[in-house]
Amino acid sequence: MTDKTFFLDQHGCAKNQVDGELIISRLSALGMIRTDDASKADLIIINSCGFIESAKKESIDALMDARDAYPHAKILLAGCLAERYADVFKTELPEADGIFGNGDLTQIDGTVSSLFKGERPVVCPPQKGVCCGDRNTLLSFKGSAFVKITEGCDNCCTFCAIPIIRGSLRSRKASEIVDEIKTLVAKGIHEINLIGQDLAAYGYGKNDDVFDRGENHTDGGMSLLAELITKISALEGKFWVRLLYIHPDHFNTDILAVMKKDSRFLPYFDIPFQSGDDGIIRLMNRKGSFDSYVNLVKAIRDAFPESCIRTTFLTGFPEESEEAAEQSVRFLKAIQSDWSGCFPYSREEDTPAAKMKGKVSASVAEKRASRLEQLQSEITAERLKSRVGKDYDVLIEEIVHNSEESDEGLAIGRAWFEAPEVDGNVVVRYDLDDADAVRNIVPGGMVKVHALASSAVDIDGEYIGL
């Protein structure tokens, strides 16, 4: 397959992005050449998302568009959608030249080889372990990387298809994670984003054994996540660590003490509460409540007064009454999260919620999501005002120059309270006649910025140095 070209059409979440990066590295190791021009590709890989209906449609549409536009190319449907519906697509999706699940990414080598031999492979290996390995190409903005520490999930929320797609919880060895972070930092990565379906569950899978034999443990009754970040904290270097996706029912409060000792751990907490109504929370197979979730946010802000809270709401869940929806509004007002995503419920086959009565119409679910989004916009605007007048380290993502008539340069970056892809940005203004500024403000670089003003989602600031 030497000199064969491939194009990756990436969809879905950060976990799927890591899978895409692993696929790129494996195919490159086979001698294939990645291209950013699909028209020049011998192979087009749709790395799909199968989480909710809109994402599934987006992935299928991408495949159909590729089939129409590039009839000469082999098209491989990979990722979560391929994993979930392989048996269906085997006969009902002839537009795909092959189907490849995400259980064992090392098997893509043989899958692609079969494609170019004229076969139509349908490969869905069992979900086992956590796929990892060399990633020579990162799909993030320069200076940032996602590091997967778990795969699958055992929480079994009634609305969620992840256990069906990704299987039961599995965790990586702590030593592997630490070594990967060390390697990334040595390559100039400044921002490490730890990801998994639920970081709080790290190390507690049925067959997990995350610490090597003879390895020293903190052995002080700490959660395994707290032990992991303690080991990460022992690494030298200047970098950030952001912890994404922590289930609220078993949030590891002991991580707060570890994080307070090392400022490289960002006080940014992504906690998907989903609802503020106790009854709906129970129907979602969750154990928390309005009060316990509010108290969790309070505990975090007691430890980190300037902490940033991101959450997610799911509206229109079966049996969600107007009062239950109103309770979520009250909850959002109570926690004053900095950011949130609000999504209408998507009925996913084979999940317990799909069989529940009390269906809520799509229009009502969308209306409730819009209300939460509007409220969050108001809260976000107020929260951002509190960031104004302070200095922040900002990771530069891209440079935007003004017209030749202006001597002002513009760059886009993120401060610690802004996660990649989902939150706002910092607009960095600088003098194009300032040689130091021009030299330091580059994608992947870290600079000091003074926040001058805020908008509904962004911070406007000026460069003040390194």
Side-chain angles (χ1 to χ4, degrees):
M1 289 184 290
T2 301
D3 296 334
K4 292 285 188 182
T5 56
F6 71 95
F7 173 84
L8 181 73
D9 186 4
Q10 180 65 41
H11 297 263
C13 67
K15 296 178 286 296
N16 209 41
Q17 177 179 312
V18 171
D19 290 351
E21 293 164 352
L22 290 169
I23 288 172
I24 290 172
S25 292
R26 293 204 67 87
L27 295 186
S28 298
L30 294 176
M32 296 188 69
I33 301 169
R34 182 182 174 223
T35 177
D36 291 325
D37 185 349
S39 68
K40 297 179 180 179
D42 298 304
L43 170 65
I44 295 174
I45 302 168
I46 311 294
N47 196 26
S48 63
C49 178
F51 185 50
I52 58 176
E53 192 62 34
S54 59
K56 289 185 282 188
K57 183 179 184 302
E58 178 184 288
S59 295
I60 290 294
D61 287 348
L63 185 145
M64 294 301 188
D65 290 345
R67 180 77 291 160
D68 289 341
Y70 314 112
H72 69 282
K74 298 288 187 181
I75 298 182
L76 180 66
L77 180 67
C80 289
L81 190 66
E83 177 72 21
R84 188 174 183 185
Y85 299 107
D87 290 341
V88 175
F89 292 155
K90 184 176 182 179
T91 57
E92 296 186 14
L93 193 66
E95 293 83 0
D97 295 304
I99 309 294
F100 181 71
N102 52 27
D104 181 0
L105 297 181
T106 65
Q107 294 197 33
I108 196 168
D109 304 24
T111 302
V112 171
S113 178
S114 296
L115 271 176
F116 285 113
K117 290 178 182 177
E119 301 172 8
R120 188 175 187 268
V122 178
V123 181
C124 283
Q127 293 284 342
K128 184 179 180 181
V130 180
C131 291
C132 54
D134 293 335
R135 291 183 287 154
N136 299 322
T137 298
L138 298 178
L139 301 175
S140 309
F141 281 105
K142 191 173 182 180
S144 180
F146 294 105
V147 174
K148 191 186 296 187
I149 71 171
T150 68
E151 186 61 276
C153 187
D154 288 342
N155 289 323
C156 297
C157 298
T158 55
F159 58 83
C160 185
I162 291 298
I164 299 170
I165 300 171
R166 295 273 184 171
S168 58
L169 173 68
R170 295 98 68 196
S171 306
R172 288 178 69 187
K173 288 277 190 182
S175 56
E176 289 182 5
I177 297 167
V178 172
D179 286 346
E180 180 175 6
I181 293 172
K182 186 176 181 179
T183 298
L184 288 168
V185 171
K187 291 181 178 180
I189 299 300
H190 187 92
E191 178 182 65
I192 303 296
N193 298 284
L194 300 184
I195 59 171
Q197 195 60 33
D198 174 17
L199 298 193
Y202 174 75
Y204 296 110
K206 182 179 179 181
N207 298 311
D208 282 354
D209 182 16
V210 296
F211 293 101
D212 295 326
R213 187 181 300 276
E215 186 177 3
N216 292 329
H217 286 252
T218 55
D219 200 25
M222 298 173 70
S223 68
L224 296 180
L225 178 62
E227 290 200 32
L228 171 64
I229 67 172
T230 297
K231 293 182 180 300
I232 295 172
S233 183
L235 290 173
E236 296 181 353
K238 184 179 180 181
F239 57 93
W240 283 347
V241 180
R242 189 188 307 274
L243 282 69
L244 296 176
Y245 326 131
I246 302 180
H247 194 291
D249 285 354
H250 35 90
F251 184 96
N252 320 76
T253 54
D254 58 352
I255 67 174
L256 300 177
V258 179
M259 295 171 68
K260 284 181 72 70
K261 295 178 183 178
D262 189 341
S263 61
R264 295 177 300 179
F265 288 96
L266 305 180
Y268 180 106
F269 301 92
D270 188 339
I271 312 171
F273 291 113
Q274 306 297 357
S275 175
D277 180 77
D278 291 1
I280 296 299
I281 290 169
R282 293 292 180 275
L283 287 174
M284 290 178 170
N285 193 34
R286 294 180 162 214
K287 299 177 175 61
S289 66
F290 182 107
D291 290 339
S292 68
Y293 291 165
V294 169
N295 288 336
L296 172 58
V297 173
K298 182 178 183 302
I300 292 171
R301 288 194 171 132
D302 284 346
F304 294 98
E306 292 193 5
S307 60
C308 181
I309 305 292
R310 163 169 273 280
T311 191
T312 306
F313 290 98
L314 192 62
T315 61
F317 190 79
E319 298 191 26
E320 184 186 56
S321 64
E322 286 296 334
E323 175 56 28
E326 185 61 29
Q327 191 71 343
S328 288
V329 172
R330 296 188 192 104
F331 176 71
L332 178 52
K333 290 179 179 178
I335 65 170
Q336 294 285 300
S337 51
D338 297 77
W339 312 97
S340 72
C342 307
F343 304 97
Y345 168 70
S346 174
R347 181 182 178 276
E348 295 300 315
E349 62 267 33
D350 300 322
T351 62
K355 302 176 183 178
M356 291 181 179
K357 299 179 180 180
K359 182 180 178 181
V360 178
S361 71
S363 60
V364 170
E366 290 169 1
K367 182 178 179 180
R368 291 172 181 174
S370 294
R371 183 179 181 191
L372 287 171
E373 288 170 350
Q374 178 58 41
L375 175 57
Q376 182 63 72
S377 295
E378 295 168 4
I379 295 172
T380 296
E382 287 302 312
R383 298 283 296 175
L384 286 177
K385 287 179 182 178
S386 70
R387 311 285 186 191
V388 174
K390 301 175 183 178
D391 298 340
Y392 299 101
D393 288 327
V394 172
L395 178 61
I396 301 298
E397 291 186 336
E398 56 183 318
I399 308 299
V400 182
H401 288 292
N402 277 358
S403 67
E404 296 179 357
E405 298 177 358
S406 173
D407 58 1
E408 182 183 60
L410 290 177
I412 305 297
R414 289 182 293 106
W416 68 265
F417 48 85
E418 297 160 323
E421 307 293 343
V422 294
D423 299 333
N425 293 100
V426 176
V427 178
V428 183
R429 302 179 183 276
Y430 60 102
D431 188 345
L432 289 174
D433 292 328
D434 183 338
D436 286 338
V438 173
R439 180 173 58 253
N440 295 331
I441 300 177
V442 294
M446 183 70 70
V447 297
K448 190 77 70 176
V449 174
H450 181 71
L452 297 170
S454 64
S455 65
V457 292
D458 296 326
I459 292 288
D460 196 328
E462 64 177 355
Y463 167 80
I464 56 176
L466 290 177

